[in-house]
Amino acid sequence: MGIKTALPTAELGLYSLVLSGALAYAGRGLLEASQDGTHRKAFRESVRPGWEYIGRKMDVADFEWVMWFTSFRNVIIFALSGHVLFAKLCTMVAPQLRSWMYAVYGALAVMGTMGPWYLLLLLGHCVGLYVASLLGQPWLCLGLGLASLASFKMDPLISWQSGFVTGTFDLQEVLFHGGSSFTVLRCTSFALESCAHPDRHYSLADLLKYNFYLPFFFFGPIMTFDRFHAQVSQVEPVRREGELWHIRAQAGLSVVAIMAVDIFFHFFYILTIPSDLKFANRLPDSALAGLAYSNLVYDWVKAAVLFGVVNTVACLDHLDPPQPPKCITALYVFAETHFDRGINDWLCKYVYDHIGGEHSAVIPELAATVATFAITTLWLGPCDIVYLWSFLNCFGLNFELWVQKLAEWGPLARIEASLSVQMSRRVRALFGAMNFWAIIMYNLVSLNSLEFTQLVARRLLLTGFPQTTLVILFVTYCGVQLVKERERNLALEEEQKQDKEKPE
């Protein structure tokens, strides 16, 4: 209720003004903190020379981002450019063989990057899950898949298997875990789809074509096997009208996002400041709240850039890959909180929806979320901080359903029915604002540190109560209302589009 309800234009204008002013004020505090802290030891270790001609240093605390766009940048561009070139030639000369070209090129790239023994290790896991799929038992395929995933996440098997990688380079550990873990999920998807559709007779060659598609191999996203196989098997794929323009726009947005992050890191040291808790504790409440929010926004941008680049290549190959994650700014429900839409689709299809059904009953939903986050914990690598993150987000997802059931309870439902639709939207947006900060706190645990999360919670909820707490809650409420308005407009546009497409 309330999404299709319009609010007065003046009210929405006030929300925009409040939100813009609050973000500018918090940004100013972060900029001043970034400038004032450069003499501190924590800053000297992770803030390195950047734009020397204007005297700006750069926050290099994120090892992965720095490696991707410095020493590893040329390798990524070379590998993906080669893939695009050979894919285009194959599509022009022998389109029926393009899936084989993807597999051969991907396998050669993996072998050249990680060594032949690593390639053989992954082939062993592929063959094992292929053999399991021949037995036609979904529980066996899922169990073996989770056991294979555990072997890449837990000692002593992880140490033994990492020995198959030859040579040493900066991103070796990242590529090892990425390629291995994504391989297991892809093989498990293949096995489960084989069990679900025994009449289709998928072969080991189909699995290898699926697994060694290079753009998705190391960093994802995951496409379930049924979707990938259907799309890559088209002998003469045809582009939709305007698709090439969309691909160019996506590539351009990825470049703009990379440049924006580079500029941002030269002025705002959002990754370095949390590492110095004494300094962070001296920040104004507004700047501290902005710092917590910025950490999640950056992680979303990082995921959006990564998936945007590989998705652009996949679209050139006539695939329809999973979209980048929804921006954290537009999230106020746990059900839409995920930083990898591909893994989210995989978990929903094979675990969450399978157990939870319509997600309207409390007990099945609890079982579904517990099973889903148990597998997610295994995917991320079991440790104390991951256990805490999984518990908090599992609780948040179930708590939303409990509150929804409570709102449907007779007395509360009658109270809401007595309100106008606009007031109902305002009340629900208030709960959405509180949920927004729960999402930030619960995910800040894993994206930054437990100590920093405790600092933010203590400052915003205890020492800053009631003034800081209420101000931040009101600013967030304004943001939620603007997000709801955007969702309302999109829903209306979709309805109008569907009405036009209906035959008269």
Side-chain angles (χ1 to χ4, degrees), residues 348-364:
C348 286
K349 181 171 186 178
Y350 300 122
V351 183
Y352 184 57
D353 292 341
H354 183 74
I355 300 174
E358 297 296 326
H359 306 294
S360 58
V362 173
I363 300 303

Side-chain angles (χ1 to χ4, degrees), residues 84 87-88 91 98 102 234 236-248 311-321:
V84 172
K88 183 63 177 179
T91 302
R98 68 191 186 104
Y102 296 155
Q234 298 178 13
E236 295 182 0
V238 179
R239 295 201 184 278
R240 299 185 299 272
E241 184 179 355
E243 185 177 358
L244 278 176
W245 181 90
H246 177 77
I247 293 173
R248 295 190 190 100
N311 283 0
T312 299
V313 176
C315 289
L316 289 173
D317 293 334
H318 299 276
L319 298 181
D320 183 19

Side-chain angles (χ1 to χ4, degrees), residues 69-247:
F69 298 105
T70 54
S71 59
F72 207 64
R73 174 188 57 202
N74 295 335
V75 177
I76 294 175
I77 294 176
F78 177 78
L80 292 182
S81 298
H83 172 90
V84 172
L85 176 62
F86 286 113
K88 183 63 177 179
L89 291 174
C90 189
T91 302
M92 295 172 58
V93 177
Q96 70 277 12
L97 298 178
R98 68 191 186 104
S99 60
W100 276 108
M101 191 286 303
Y102 296 155
V104 172
Y105 182 87
L108 290 175
V110 172
M111 183 173 66
T113 305
M114 304 291 284
W117 289 107
Y118 177 72
L119 180 63
L120 290 175
L121 172 67
L122 296 188
L123 287 173
H125 284 273
C126 291
V127 171
L129 278 161
Y130 171 73
V131 172
S133 72
L134 298 178
L135 302 177
Q137 299 296 326
W139 64 269
L140 177 62
C141 295
L142 183 59
L144 181 59
L146 295 179
S148 296
L149 183 60
S151 71
F152 287 108
K153 299 296 180 178
M154 304 171 68
D155 279 324
L157 287 177
I158 184 175
S159 299
W160 174 71
Q161 292 185 104
S162 63
F164 283 87
V165 181
T166 57
T168 57
F169 52 94
D170 290 332
L171 282 184
Q172 175 178 300
E173 185 176 355
V174 175
L175 297 184
F176 171 79
H177 288 287
S180 305
S181 301
F182 280 117
T183 289
V184 171
L185 291 191
R186 282 188 288 263
C187 291
T188 305
S189 176
F190 169 87
L192 291 174
E193 293 298 331
S194 296
C195 295
H197 306 284
D199 55 309
R200 297 182 182 177
H201 304 293
Y202 297 127
S203 66
L204 178 61
D206 293 324
L207 173 57
L208 297 181
K209 294 175 187 177
Y210 170 50
N211 182 60
F212 288 103
Y213 179 68
L214 184 63
F216 294 165
F217 183 83
F218 285 116
F219 301 117
I222 288 285
M223 279 183 71
T224 54
F225 175 74
D226 55 331
R227 289 185 56 198
F228 180 87
H229 183 72
Q231 295 174 25
V232 82
S233 298
Q234 298 178 13
V235 177
E236 295 182 0
V238 179
R239 295 201 184 278
R240 299 185 299 272
E241 184 179 355
E243 185 177 358
L244 278 176
W245 181 90
H246 177 77
I247 293 173

Side-chain angles (χ1 to χ4, degrees), residues 51 65 253-266 301:
W51 295 339
W65 182 272
L253 286 174
S254 298
V255 173
V256 169
I258 293 170
M259 295 173 61
V261 171
D262 191 65
I263 295 172
F264 191 87
F265 276 169
H266 279 86
V301 172

Side-chain angles (χ1 to χ4, degrees), residues 454-467:
Q454 291 174 330
L455 170 63
V456 175
R458 185 174 64 252
R459 287 279 301 278
L460 301 188
L461 298 178
L462 297 179
T463 60
F465 185 84
Q467 182 176 351

